Amino acid sequence: MGSVPSTPRRGGAYSPETAEYLIGTFVGDTPFPLSSEFWQKLLELPLNVQWSTQRVQQACELLAKNNCHTRHLAKILFHLACCLQEYMSSSGALPLVYEKAFNAVYISSIFLKHLIESVHGENIQLYLSLEDNEDVQKDVLRDQTIKNLVMRNVLSFIASVEVSPDTFLLHLELLNFMIIGMSTQLLCGPSPGPNDVNPFLDAAMAQDSSLVGAVVCRLLLNFMARSNVPSNRATYSILYDGNQSSVLQRVGSAAANIVLFPFSYLVSSSGEESKSPIADISIHVLLVLVHYHKCLVSEDYANHKSSTSDSLLKENPHFSDNPYCKALEHAIDCELDRVDIEGNAHSARHIKLPFASLFDTLGICLADEAAVLLLYSLLQGNSAFLEYVLVRTDLDALLMPILEALYNAPSRTANQIYMLLIILLILSQDSSFNASIHKLILTGVPWYKERLFHQTSLGSLMVIILIRTVQYNLSKLRDVYLQTTCLATLANMAPHVHRLSAYASQRLVSLFDMLSRKYNKLAERRDNKLHIAKGNSVEGNNLVEDMSTELHIYTDFLRLVLEIINAILTYALPRNPEVVYAIMHRQEVFQPFKNHPRFNELIDNIYTVLDFFNSRMDAQREDGDWSVHEVLQVIIVNCRSWRGDGMKMFTQLRFTYEQESHPEEFFIPYVWQLVLSHCGFSFNTGAINLFPVDLQTERLENGVVGSTLQNGDFDKSEYQLDP
């Protein structure tokens, strides 16, 4: 087939010129058919060639220029699918097949990433189809497209081949490849639209439900197994410039050795090595798959493409079902022989997972935002897992990392704080949860620096942290949704409070005091502005209206805190003498609101309690000051005779969490922010439309600048290969 160098077999060596020629031919302008010997030579190429950053960039640019004609990306993806199929069919017995599959996914990932992030405008065209004259084996492609075939085989390999020291690197690179293929979402807007192009994601969604379930199961098992990098892993230096050693020292997988291929799974964003790169990337792949929503074109939209129909589509979007989301929602505990209502065993559509291991792993990993988002997805969508969590007797294993993260809120992202608070709100919807957390006693809380806790309940600590989060939000974030979520969780807990600690009780009353002072300042400022704005100044009237809105918000917050205190006094007073003591100690903070129309009934209940205990104190008053212990003992004794006479009963508050009508607008950008910030996967910031990027603070991608090459720059005259 022309003058070509001989092909060495395993154990041989390619010359640098041969490697340069083969890569040059791949990115060149001459198309080679699938049946050409060229593809076998390329895939058997040992990956030990050293190239500079600029050299790799030039190769990527050439493929981008010529791929529409050569379709070489589609062809190497076809060979990747074939190699994976051959490997799975041979039960992994052929080392050469493994190496070819590895090389195929390695090379595909490099050039696919460049093609995706180099897209200009809205036209995403990767040319993933073959020419009509290609002689493709009918038993391989059948009626599938290339993207469907490669995704089916990639997913099948991930699901069916065990992660072992021998397969570790290939598993890692296939997961890397999936992240790259799915990164077309970064080019789309924050709201899924009918014109979004995500070929690999759509191909993943089109797979059989049995494969989808197996993939979800395997990705979660990878997360739980947390396999370490094998000590005997191969090292590569392909396309490596010796001046870039600081970059290559970060390499965890073979593909990451390309300077322009920015995966570094042994190093986290903080510079610390990840002991389990497959666990990390598995959970990111799962989150991208689970939260994907494809917006379908309605018939009306197709026939009437106007601004009116765009707005209608926004209000009433039509999304296709997400099979990965459904598989996660229907997962069941493999330890239980569950039977449905009709008495039939669960069908194969339910994947079975070790919930105990999943619970334990999540508890260990909740410092990572991806694990927090996974926990949210499970609790919100999977009723079986939620039920499992609620009956665990060691809830501190899950709650303590959550509370510690909220304690360190200034170092957390706003999105992470939201997710943590929503998780607590979901759990607090269950009365048994609210009761059990007060029975679980903690011997200490080492991460709480301002105060030592000895023998405090998990419930008391949760109240303290939620109030602390409210105070942090009022001073820093000032987010109404976050505030409401915190108070809603406290309201759910209130009727079930049991022996709330002295410090937690004090913080609850102090929260009311702090909100009341802010309320009074706002009311005073509003009244002053109202007096000044009597001259009918438009600007003054707008300012007064804004302040009135803020005052209304604080009125709602104050009422909610009063309802929380009322719920404790109404349903749990005998069990909470410290709450009574805290209210008596600071009873003056309630006085200004006795006649407030929004608060008077709630304040009346508080004063009914105060009158009862104050009268008992007066009856036993002796000369001299009372100690805290003496006052508390009187309260404890009289709690036994408390009957609640004169208390007005209010409907018990119960807040539930419901997802927004368009959750994808939050979760899809959030998932990709996690992928980019925690997996070392850098992307051309100028191409990202999914979320706003601060270009001034974004790291430059290895200092690469654009360059152009003619096709001949990669050709070597001494080598020729016929198409």
Side-chain angles (χ1 to χ4, degrees):
M1 296 182 65
S3 176
V4 295
S6 59
T7 305
R9 307 312 301 168
R10 285 179 55 79
Y14 278 91
S15 67
E17 290 80 9
T18 304
E20 177 115 351
Y21 167 72
L22 290 172
I23 297 292
T25 301
F26 174 70
V27 302
D29 60 353
T30 303
F32 281 73
L34 284 171
S35 57
S36 171
E37 185 184 350
F38 160 74
W39 296 104
Q40 298 307 313
K41 293 182 179 296
L42 177 66
L43 297 182
E44 292 174 10
L45 175 67
L47 302 181
N48 59 1
V49 184
Q50 298 183 2
W51 275 1
S52 66
T53 300
Q54 185 179 14
R55 196 78 168 128
V56 179
Q57 178 76 3
Q58 291 169 345
C60 289
E61 290 175 358
L62 275 181
L63 183 74
K65 175 184 176 182
N66 296 318
N67 184 57
C68 59
H69 168 60
T70 63
R71 305 297 172 97
H72 278 181
L73 176 62
K75 292 172 184 176
I76 198 168
L77 289 175
F78 177 84
H79 283 285
L80 167 61
C82 292
C83 290
L84 292 174
Q85 183 63 51
E86 185 178 357
Y87 184 86
M88 289 184 285
S89 300
S90 61
S91 301
L94 302 175
L96 182 59
V97 176
Y98 178 93
E99 292 180 11
K100 286 165 63 178
F102 187 93
N103 288 359
V105 69
Y106 174 19
I107 296 171
S108 300
S109 297
I110 299 165
F111 293 101
L112 177 60
K113 176 184 177 292
H114 177 83
L115 287 174
I116 291 173
E117 65 182 347
S118 301
V119 168
H120 298 288
E122 298 181 354
N123 182 28
I124 303 178
Q125 180 57 267
L126 301 176
Y127 299 101
L128 297 176
S129 60
L130 300 174
E131 300 96 328
D132 294 336
N133 59 355
E134 276 289 352
D135 183 20
V136 183
Q137 296 176 343
K138 299 298 182 183
D139 60 329
V140 176
L141 195 56
R142 299 189 183 92
D143 58 349
Q144 294 188 89
T145 61
I146 292 292
K147 57 182 180 290
N148 276 16
L149 174 67
V150 73
M151 285 304 288
R152 186 194 71 186
N153 286 4
V154 167
L155 292 170
S156 296
F157 183 95
I158 291 170
S160 63
V161 178
E162 292 289 332
V163 177
S164 69
D166 292 332
T167 64
F168 187 94
L169 283 179
L170 183 52
H171 267 283
L172 188 57
E173 293 313 321
L174 289 171
L175 291 166
N176 293 349
F177 170 81
M178 286 194 66
I179 287 289
I180 289 177
M182 297 186 297
S183 69
T184 50
Q185 273 197 303
L186 291 167
L187 310 180
C188 305
S191 299
N195 297 322
D196 293 348
V197 179
N198 296 296
F200 292 97
L201 265 167
D202 291 340
M205 297 296 144
Q207 302 305 317
D208 293 338
S209 59
S210 58
L211 177 56
V212 167
V215 169
V216 171
C217 187
R218 173 56 60 190
L219 292 175
L220 286 169
L221 290 174
N222 287 349
F223 171 66
M224 289 180 265
R226 312 201 68 73
S227 303
N228 294 329
V229 179
S231 58
N232 63 341
R233 71 182 188 277
T235 57
Y236 299 83
S237 58
I238 184 169
L239 314 186
Y240 156 50
D241 181 355
N243 296 326
Q244 300 290 335
S245 59
S246 61
V247 175
L248 289 180
Q249 287 169 358
R250 301 183 305 138
V251 168
S253 63
N257 285 275
I258 292 193
V259 177
L260 285 187
F261 188 65
F263 279 93
S264 182
Y265 288 98
L266 294 189
V267 176
S268 67
S269 57
S270 63
E272 299 177 356
E273 288 193 353
S274 167
K275 296 180 180 180
S276 183
I278 281 189
D280 296 341
I281 188 64
S282 290
I283 214 62
H284 284 96
V285 168
L286 179 62
L287 289 174
V288 173
L289 290 170
V290 165
H291 289 285
Y292 176 61
H293 289 271
K294 181 175 179 59
C295 187
L296 302 179
V297 181
S298 65
E299 186 176 345
D300 290 340
Y301 181 86
N303 295 334
H304 307 284
K305 291 185 178 179
S306 64
S307 58
T308 302
S309 33
D310 281 341
S311 63
L312 288 174
L313 186 68
K314 172 72 175 178
E315 294 174 3
N316 299 294
H318 174 44
F319 293 111
S320 61
D321 289 336
N322 183 319
Y324 296 86
C325 182
K326 287 187 176 297
L328 188 67
E329 290 176 351
H330 291 111
I332 59 175
D333 189 0
C334 63
E335 298 299 323
L336 298 178
D337 184 17
R338 293 173 58 97
V339 177
D340 61 25
I341 297 175
E342 297 177 358
N344 299 316
H346 280 285
S347 63
R349 67 187 179 91
H350 293 279
I351 62 173
K352 296 183 178 181
L353 294 168
F355 278 4
S357 178
L358 184 55
F359 178 96
D360 294 340
T361 306
L362 285 166
I364 294 170
C365 299
L366 283 178
D368 176 28
E369 282 189 81
V372 172
L373 185 50
L374 174 62
L375 175 58
Y376 162 81
S377 301
L378 286 164
L379 294 178
Q380 192 278 327
N382 189 310
S383 58
F385 186 75
L386 175 59
E387 290 173 11
Y388 175 84
V389 170
L390 292 173
V391 299
R392 287 280 296 223
T393 57
D394 57 342
L395 280 169
D396 55 315
L398 204 62
L399 288 182
M400 288 298 280
I402 293 175
L403 297 178
E404 182 180 3
L406 290 174
Y407 173 80
N408 295 310
S411 63
R412 307 295 178 179
T413 66
N415 286 343
Q416 185 176 7
I417 295 173
Y418 291 146
M419 288 293 98
L420 293 167
L421 290 174
I422 291 170
I423 287 169
L424 294 181
L425 177 59
I426 292 172
L427 294 173
S428 74
Q429 293 169 188
D430 184 79
S431 58
S432 65
F433 167 83
N434 294 321
S436 62
I437 57 175
H438 290 283
K439 298 174 184 176
L440 207 161
I441 304 301
L442 306 170
T443 56
V445 186
W447 43 262
Y448 200 103
K449 304 302 181 185
E450 290 81 7
R451 176 177 290 265
L452 291 176
F453 290 110
H454 297 293
Q455 300 299 312
T456 192
S457 70
L458 180 60
S460 293
L461 180 64
M462 188 167 162
V463 169
I464 292 167
I465 295 298
L466 285 170
I467 292 173
R468 194 175 190 273
T469 306
V470 169
Q471 294 170 326
Y472 169 73
N473 180 57
L474 286 173
S475 62
K476 300 293 183 182
L477 301 179
R478 299 180 181 177
D479 185 287
V480 174
Y481 178 78
L482 186 151
Q483 198 83 334
T484 304
T485 305
C486 285
L487 295 177
T489 305
L490 286 169
N492 285 345
M493 296 170 61
H496 310 280
V497 165
H498 185 86
R499 295 195 177 279
L500 195 66
S501 71
Y503 184 60
S505 302
Q506 294 164 18
R507 299 313 300 154
L508 186 57
V509 177
S510 295
L511 174 62
F512 177 82
D513 183 36
M514 181 188 66
L515 287 171
S516 65
R517 283 185 278 111
K518 287 185 176 291
Y519 172 88
N520 289 331
K521 286 182 180 179
L522 271 173
E524 184 179 351
R525 287 173 55 199
R526 192 274 309 268
D527 292 342
N528 290 338
K529 295 296 182 183
L530 187 61
H531 179 73
I532 296 172
K534 282 184 177 179
N536 291 325
S537 164
V538 174
E539 183 178 350
N541 288 332
N542 289 339
L543 182 59
V544 169
E545 185 177 345
D546 291 342
M547 295 184 69
S548 297
T549 301
E550 189 173 3
L551 189 64
H552 180 73
I553 292 172
Y554 271 90
T555 303
D556 289 341
F557 288 160
L558 269 175
R559 180 173 175 86
L560 194 47
V561 173
L562 283 173
E563 288 179 320
I564 291 167
I565 295 172
N566 257 267
I568 297 174
L569 298 179
T570 303
Y571 298 101
L573 186 148
R575 305 192 303 271
N576 291 283
E578 292 287 2
V579 176
V580 175
Y581 178 87
I583 292 171
M584 293 182 67
H585 182 66
R586 300 287 305 279
Q587 56 190 285
E588 74 281 354
V589 304
F590 302 102
Q591 180 66 36
F593 298 95
K594 286 192 73 172
N595 298 319
H596 193 292
R598 287 287 307 277
F599 308 143
N600 56 355
E601 291 183 322
L602 295 165
I603 295 290
D604 285 347
N605 270 358
I606 292 176
Y607 272 91
T608 298
V609 173
L610 287 172
D611 292 343
F612 176 86
F613 284 94
N614 282 331
S615 64
R616 300 305 191 273
M617 293 287 297
D618 292 340
Q620 301 181 43
R621 185 172 297 280
E622 300 175 357
D623 293 337
D625 295 331
W626 288 51
S627 69
V628 173
H629 176 72
E630 289 172 333
V631 174
L632 192 57
Q633 286 304 307
V634 172
I635 292 173
I636 291 172
V637 169
N638 285 282
C639 275
R640 298 167 188 163
S641 60
W642 169 258
R643 296 293 180 267
D645 296 336
M647 295 284 283
K648 181 175 180 179
M649 300 298 291
F650 294 93
T651 303
Q652 195 173 119
L653 292 179
R654 186 174 184 274
F655 291 88
T656 58
Y657 169 73
E658 292 183 5
Q659 272 194 349
E660 297 289 340
S661 57
H662 297 287
E664 67 282 346
E665 295 183 5
F666 171 79
F667 287 107
I668 294 177
Y670 182 34
V671 168
W672 277 104
Q673 286 171 338
L674 293 183
V675 171
L676 295 184
S677 61
H678 292 279
C679 282
F681 175 87
S682 58
F683 198 86
N684 175 17
T685 55
I688 296 176
N689 295 314
L690 186 61
F691 50 82
V693 180
D694 185 354
L695 295 177
Q696 293 182 342
T697 60
E698 187 73 17
R699 291 182 294 110
L700 290 177
E701 188 177 343
N702 302 313
V704 175
V705 295
S707 59
T708 57
L709 267 185
Q710 300 300 316
N711 286 317
D713 290 348
F714 267 88
D715 293 340
K716 296 294 180 181
S717 58
E718 61 267 36
Y719 299 120
Q720 294 180 358
L721 193 63
D722 295 333

